[in-house]
Amino acid sequence: MASIQTQPATPPVPGRSTTFLGHPRGLATLFMTELWERFSFYGMRALLVLYLVAPTAKGGLGFDLATATAVYSVYNAMVYLLALPGGWAADRLWGARRAVAIAGAVIMTGHFLLAVPATASFFAGLVLIAAGSGLLKSNISTMVGHLYDGPEDPRRDGGFTIFYMGINLGAFVAPLAIGTVGEKVDWHLGFAMAGVGMALGLTQYLLGSRHLSARSSVVPAPLTAPERTVLLRKAGFWALLAVVFYGVVALSGRFTLAWAMWPLTVAGLAIPAYCLLRIKRDRDLSAAEQSRMTGYIWFFLAAAAFWMIYDQSGSTLNLFAENNTSSTVFGLGFPASWFQSLNPLMIMALAPLFAWLWVALARRAKEPGTTVKFSYGLLLIGASFLVMMLAQAAASDGTRVSPLWLAVVYLIQTVGELCLSPVGLSVTTKLAPRKYASQMMGVWFLAVTAGDCVTALVQLAGADIESRSYFAFQGGLALLAGVAVALYRRRVAGLMGGVH
């Protein structure tokens, strides 16, 4: 992440103003939209697993730990999987500006459905939030880019930095506010707060949308009438098939949550594999592009292994905070969900430092290569789960361990994220074949889907998430992956064809 810089103002583009920290006024609209959307997303996520496992007598759903964490993993996987059709919808149906407005309304509705104390509405709400988040995630960053006069605009990097600060600010505040209300007052009131947050974001987005670029309203490749007819027929067929199939299962009295989660988990693994294979086998790609795609698959698999562990912060680690960690500091108590604010806080503190560090090392010709940075990320995420193994051992006799255990785990994971995540975004754009330049960013998000689905498979298989072996196995796997990337770094660099 680039550091925030004050840059000389360039001549304003007609129809826009530069009243937000020297940037186009539309940046304030998108900043606040993303801040409130992340507030709602991370606030709900901080409560999700805790609500699922809470006894029904305390207002929860009373799920067992493995099922609850699997629901969380599948939900998170679907958010990133649906970013692909979300980008398609903007390109072919609505344009980015309208797509984000629709996404905000869908997300808001989903959160308010969670606030209804009924199991059916709760899962319907999760579906809507996942669909809306995928639609918004794939388009709002594109709209930030539309505010500037192409890649050469000197304000562009600073604008994206400000925008991403909004992400982390919303993610930091959300568990403190929504987590406290949900855990201490009422679960459904906490979910309603998330809905109010999204409503505020949507309202200011609609009021401030006049400041957005006209390019954001354009539908780049609108569907023709015949294409629209074919799409409706196919969508109707698959929807009807799903309704009939699950209707038969329900009427037979055999329906359980696993009937929904297993197909989604398998799809979450099959679709990324299909997308990579389809691009890799495209005969239109040059030999150099084919080689780069082979190298990219290494990075994709490494990223999936990283996210497999990293995304358990809101599930496995959240439950460890609730059940095994002391929730007092200097005699002051706090809800378990507050631990979810540590990562965004650390990101805001450390991201500028890492941006400076890579530049400083590059000036001395000592900056690690992309493969080495990925290796660091995997080694760190693996080490974090080995620390969790020790924490679980310390809590095995029923002792509530110090909050410092989780603080150290989140610190290690945050440093690992800063080594891998920004670099992964960059290498995706560099290695993308020209034919798939726009689609490859969606493919990068599929690494999160694949990692979360691997976690879901482990959890659906009945893994004991409170055992030391659970953390030791995954931590060891990530360490081995990190060592493999380091050992094969020259081979991968060769496949990259001169891309650094």
Side-chain angles (χ1 to χ4, degrees), residues 227-246:
E227 287 176 326
R228 194 179 292 267
T229 301
V230 171
L231 175 66
L232 290 174
R233 285 177 179 172
K234 288 183 177 179
F237 169 77
W238 288 108
L240 179 62
L241 184 64
V243 169
V244 170
F245 175 78
Y246 282 105

Side-chain angles (χ1 to χ4, degrees), residues 311-497:
D311 269 354
Q312 293 186 54
S313 61
S315 57
T316 310
L317 301 191
N318 207 8
L319 289 173
F320 185 85
E322 173 75 5
N323 299 327
N324 304 106
T325 305
S326 173
S327 56
T328 59
V329 174
F330 302 121
L332 300 175
F334 58 91
S337 54
W338 281 25
F339 282 100
Q340 299 301 299
S341 289
L342 286 176
N343 172 256
L345 178 63
M346 292 173 180
I347 288 287
M348 289 188 287
L350 295 178
L353 175 62
F354 270 74
W356 168 84
L357 176 64
W358 298 139
V359 172
L361 290 173
R363 288 173 180 166
R364 295 170 174 81
K366 294 182 178 180
E367 182 184 8
T370 300
T371 50
V372 175
K373 290 177 181 176
F374 261 69
S375 178
Y376 289 163
L378 286 167
L379 292 173
L380 286 165
I381 203 70
S384 75
F385 256 35
L386 295 186
V387 174
M388 275 303 303
M389 176 190 70
L390 298 176
Q392 187 68 60
S396 60
D397 61 353
T399 301
R400 284 189 172 266
V401 301
S402 167
L404 288 176
W405 282 102
L406 281 177
V408 170
V409 169
Y410 282 122
L411 176 61
I412 296 172
Q413 292 190 350
T414 300
V415 175
E417 178 188 5
L418 291 170
C419 288
L420 184 142
S421 184
V423 179
L425 291 169
S426 177
V427 79
T428 297
T429 61
K430 292 176 181 178
L431 296 181
R434 182 176 300 179
K435 182 177 179 180
Y436 297 98
S438 298
Q439 297 179 44
M440 283 298 288
M441 197 55 68
V443 172
W444 168 252
F445 286 138
L446 291 181
V448 184
T449 297
D452 283 333
C453 285
V454 171
T455 302
L457 281 177
V458 174
Q459 293 161 342
L460 285 170
D464 182 3
I465 68 168
E466 292 186 305
S467 67
R468 282 169 281 180
S469 60
Y470 178 85
F471 297 108
F473 175 75
Q474 294 180 69
L477 191 64
L479 288 175
L480 288 175
V483 171
V485 170
L487 291 176
Y488 285 88
R489 65 187 183 279
R490 289 186 177 86
R491 178 180 176 183
V492 176
L495 293 169
M496 293 168 68

Side-chain angles (χ1 to χ4, degrees), residues 81 88 91 144 159 228 276 435 460:
L81 180 63
W88 180 90
D91 288 342
V144 175
R228 194 179 292 267
L276 286 171
K435 182 177 179 180
L460 285 170

